[in-house]
Amino acid sequence: MSHEIRLAVLLSGTGSIFEAVLASGIRVTLVASDRPCRGLDVARVAGIDTELVDRRHYGGFSASFDRVRYTARLLESLSARDIELVAMAGFGTVLSSQVHEAYPMRILNTHPSLLPAFPGWHSVAEALESGVDVTGCTVHFATLETDAGPVIAQEEVKILPGDTVDTLHERIKQAERVLYPATIRRVIDHIAAATPVHTPEGARR
Ligand code: GRF
């Protein structure tokens, strides 16, 4: 018998990838956000514990944003719930090193390009402008260097004539809504299989 991994999802937007994670049956312990957004509302309606750690209280999107203090506060939310695995699903804040020290190879991200191609915030537009025929999505472990951690899974998405950033991003998201839940499930199973479970008698699995 394996224990249920305590998963937190970090998001900032629509939350459609998060909805797909939920629909897949993966149990989510906490949804945290850096701004008020639809994704938080979806979590509340689903009866999931939510926490808004609002960037605006830490300098917002200005040069004075206190990334270290923000990350420390978010980390408190994760620790308070004994979170074991973190899945970023459209989270708009780059976190500082403490979170990676606390959760080494335990933070997942989904990115709308075939990394290492087109890292960063504008990956869909850049793929479209570059003239490539195929882009896609990548699930990877997040590390301090943005969009550069070890790749776990990728899915190709063809760029079609007449595609706009919106139509292409939506088709990429359709792929992410399948790939991300499946990959999170694989990682959860891997962690659970590697974690000793204590029975009431103290015997190990
Ligand atoms: C996804 O494309 C994800 O890869 C990117 O942000 C998007 C989130 O979409 N980082 P949604 O808010 O879940 O619809």
Side-chain angles (χ1 to χ4, degrees):
M1 192 191 88
S2 61
H3 80 287
E4 283 250 39
I5 298 300
R6 295 176 65 80
L7 172 72
V9 173
L10 309 185
L11 48 72
S12 305
T14 316
S16 71
I17 312 284
F18 158 62
E19 282 179 297
V21 171
L22 265 192
S24 78
I26 291 173
R27 191 173 138 207
V28 178
T29 299
L30 170 71
V31 172
S33 181
D34 57 358
R35 68 199 79 182
C37 61
R38 178 183 174 273
L40 271 183
D41 298 335
V42 171
R44 288 190 193 107
V45 169
I48 296 167
D49 195 6
T50 59
E51 181 132 14
L52 172 60
V53 184
D54 200 324
R55 254 185 96 126
R56 290 174 297 191
H57 302 148
Y58 297 82
F61 293 85
S62 71
S64 67
F65 173 57
D66 191 340
R67 201 173 304 279
V68 170
R69 210 162 59 83
Y70 181 86
T71 302
R73 175 63 192 77
L74 186 65
L75 207 41
E76 273 176 30
S77 303
L78 302 177
S79 311
R81 275 96 169 177
D82 295 323
I83 295 300
E84 298 164 277
L85 181 68
V86 177
M88 298 198 281
F91 187 59
T93 294
V94 174
L95 298 171
S96 64
S97 59
Q98 312 102 288
V99 80
H100 300 288
E101 284 153 19
Y103 290 95
M105 296 300 137
R106 289 288 182 100
I107 305 177
L108 303 174
N109 186 40
T110 175
H111 181 82
S113 76
L114 295 174
L115 290 173
F118 310 117
W121 302 115
H122 306 293
S123 48
V124 180
E126 285 169 12
L128 202 53
E129 283 157 19
S130 75
V132 292
D133 297 330
V134 173
T135 182
C137 56
T138 301
V139 180
H140 66 101
F141 287 110
T143 54
L144 189 54
E145 199 186 336
T146 308
D147 300 330
V151 170
I152 310 169
Q154 291 185 309
E155 183 80 34
E156 290 188 351
V157 175
K158 281 201 172 63
I159 298 182
L160 302 178
D163 254 340
T164 63
V165 172
D166 286 346
T167 60
L168 179 56
H169 197 179
E170 183 49 36
R171 272 204 327 289
I172 295 171
K173 286 204 218 181
Q174 283 170 13
E176 291 184 275
R177 290 179 198 124
V178 177
L179 187 68
Y180 206 27
T183 309
I184 293 172
R185 171 54 68 197
R186 271 173 53 204
V187 173
I188 285 176
D189 289 347
H190 182 80
I191 295 172
T195 309
V197 175
H198 295 273
T199 67
E201 296 81 35
R204 289 187 170 194
R205 181 163 60 103

